[in-house]
Amino acid sequence: MTVHSFQEHFDKKIDGDVAIEPRDWMPDDYRKTLIRQISQHAHSEIVGMLPEGNWISRAPSLRRKAVLLAKVQDEAGHGLYLYSAAETLGITRDELYEQLHSGKAKYSSIFNYPTLTWADMGAIGWLVDGAAIMNQVPLCRCSYGPYARAMVRVCKEESFHQRQGYEIMLTLANGAPMQKKMAQDALDRWWWPSLMMFGPPDAESGNTEQSMRWRIKRLTNDELRQKFIDVTVEQANILGLTIPDKDLKWNEERGHYDSGAINWDEFWNVVKGNGPCNKQRLDTRKKAWADGQWVRDAAMAHAEKRKARKATAKAA
């Protein structure tokens, strides 16, 4: 078969909503796009453990501690699922980590903001995980099979994370005046970065159009952002908290909320590595990698020893 016929077969599967599997022929750009997106997603899960892990020892009760610990463990699992999915595209785990540690690969800009109070654990669960669910549910129908299948379990667990965060915010909002003030402060600080999680406007996104054509993505950045706003504003009303957007209003004609302008200069500044916690997050990940070298060495030595024993037994 010629490259042209391979391309035709690939296009036919995409048009027919048939999953592309690791051994299928795929265009180089399709493979590169998937590696970029899946690795960025995996890095986000791993780096996303840091701002929450910071609060495990300071959670206000044993129950809160156990729930937050379980959530952070889930995020580690999500990263491993996604690294495994990326590996099916021909890139190694070590290459993925090297790209993260060198700054070549990106992760979600949201994790470069500090967690200042316990209410931030609620805001992250409610807003950040809520935005993640909005973005990730359509990925369960991604054209690349391993990624789509990984997302099914990830989304189920993320739904618990979102509920956990909302429950924290509900408890604080119905508590003492100081607790409600803390919840409002967390909402004020996390609202706009959460909207930035969906990526730049469609008109400025260099990847959205092609990803939509390949059915890697099913909805555009702006469509996902609008859905998130519509849902979350109603949830904030139930909490009795105020969305920090003076231009927010219901548009009867559109059937959606209109919202204020996002500060995209801030978004790009964080993406370029100049956010409040960019250096801290990367330094922490690189230190964890260096500190874990002995574990990797021990695992490799054990594997080599088992391999040698098997070879000796086979020879005997």
Side-chain angles (χ1 to χ4, degrees):
M1 293 180 71
T2 65
V3 172
H4 180 69
S5 58
F6 279 128
Q7 181 71 56
E8 284 185 337
H9 184 63
F10 172 83
D11 291 340
K12 186 175 180 180
K13 293 189 77 171
I14 292 293
D15 293 341
D17 249 353
V18 178
I20 306 298
E21 298 297 341
R23 293 188 178 183
D24 292 341
W25 183 91
M26 63 188 76
D28 287 343
D29 287 344
Y30 178 81
R31 186 185 303 275
K32 290 176 183 176
T33 297
L34 281 168
I35 289 174
R36 176 189 57 78
Q37 180 169 328
I38 298 173
S39 66
Q40 180 176 316
H41 193 165
H43 298 328
S44 298
E45 297 284 356
I46 297 300
V47 176
M49 298 163 61
L50 300 178
E52 294 179 304
N54 172 36
W55 275 91
I56 291 173
S57 63
R58 295 181 287 166
S61 70
L62 181 60
R63 173 178 173 269
R64 295 292 190 193
K65 190 187 298 291
V67 172
L68 185 58
L69 179 62
K71 180 186 178 183
V72 173
Q73 288 176 318
D74 284 349
E75 307 294 3
H78 297 172
L80 295 179
Y81 302 152
L82 292 165
Y83 283 133
S84 295
E87 285 177 308
T88 66
L89 292 159
I91 189 168
T92 67
R93 191 78 59 100
D94 284 350
E95 287 177 296
L96 293 169
Y97 287 144
E98 192 282 327
Q99 289 176 2
L100 171 63
H101 298 157
S102 68
K104 180 180 178 182
K106 304 299 182 183
Y107 54 87
S108 180
S109 61
I110 193 77
F111 299 119
N112 289 311
Y113 290 87
T115 48
L116 305 179
T117 71
W118 171 250
D120 288 20
M121 296 301 97
I124 288 177
W126 172 37
L127 299 175
V128 176
D129 292 322
I133 292 169
M134 198 66 71
N135 189 46
Q136 292 170 9
V137 167
L139 291 175
C140 295
R141 297 185 294 119
C142 170
S143 61
Y144 188 58
Y147 191 23
R149 290 189 288 272
M151 293 314 304
V152 172
R153 178 167 181 175
V154 170
C155 287
K156 287 179 180 178
E157 293 178 348
E158 290 288 5
S159 66
F160 282 101
H161 301 170
Q162 195 270 347
R163 288 292 182 181
Q164 172 250 1
Y166 190 77
E167 195 261 344
I168 289 175
M169 296 297 277
L170 185 63
T171 301
L172 292 172
N174 289 318
M178 184 61 72
Q179 290 176 304
K180 184 171 184 177
K181 182 179 179 181
M182 186 166 63
Q184 182 64 57
D185 172 68
L187 171 55
D188 292 346
R189 286 183 289 107
W190 289 94
W191 174 252
W192 293 106
S194 296
L195 297 188
M196 296 175 194
M197 280 182 66
F198 297 99
D202 295 341
E204 299 176 16
S205 175
N207 301 307
T208 295
E209 184 178 351
Q210 184 61 72
S211 292
M212 294 284 288
R213 189 177 301 124
W214 279 328
R215 304 197 181 189
I216 294 173
K217 293 182 68 170
R218 298 286 179 154
L219 295 169
T220 70
N221 297 350
D222 289 340
E223 288 172 336
L224 290 166
R225 190 165 18 248
Q226 184 66 67
K227 288 184 66 176
F228 175 75
I229 291 170
D230 290 345
V231 169
T232 310
V233 169
E234 298 303 324
Q235 294 172 345
N237 290 338
I238 294 172
L239 291 173
L241 299 177
T242 303
I243 299 292
D245 181 355
K246 61 182 177 56
D247 297 320
L248 185 71
K249 62 180 181 299
W250 178 254
N251 187 319
E252 194 67 44
E253 185 176 337
R254 291 178 62 236
H256 295 288
Y257 280 97
D258 291 336
S259 57
I262 296 172
N263 183 357
W264 291 112
D265 288 340
E266 176 185 336
F267 171 77
W268 290 117
N269 191 49
V270 175
V271 168
K272 290 174 183 176
N274 301 317
C277 298
N278 286 69
K279 186 178 186 304
Q280 177 186 341
R281 299 289 184 245
L282 268 186
D283 285 350
T284 302
R285 284 306 311 157
K286 287 189 281 190
K287 183 178 185 301
W289 177 256
D291 290 349
Q293 184 63 51
W294 72 271
V295 179
R296 297 190 295 278
D297 291 343
M300 289 299 296
H302 179 68
E304 290 296 329
K305 191 173 181 179
R306 286 189 62 187
K307 184 178 179 181
R309 281 203 303 264
K310 286 183 178 180
T312 301
K314 187 175 181 181

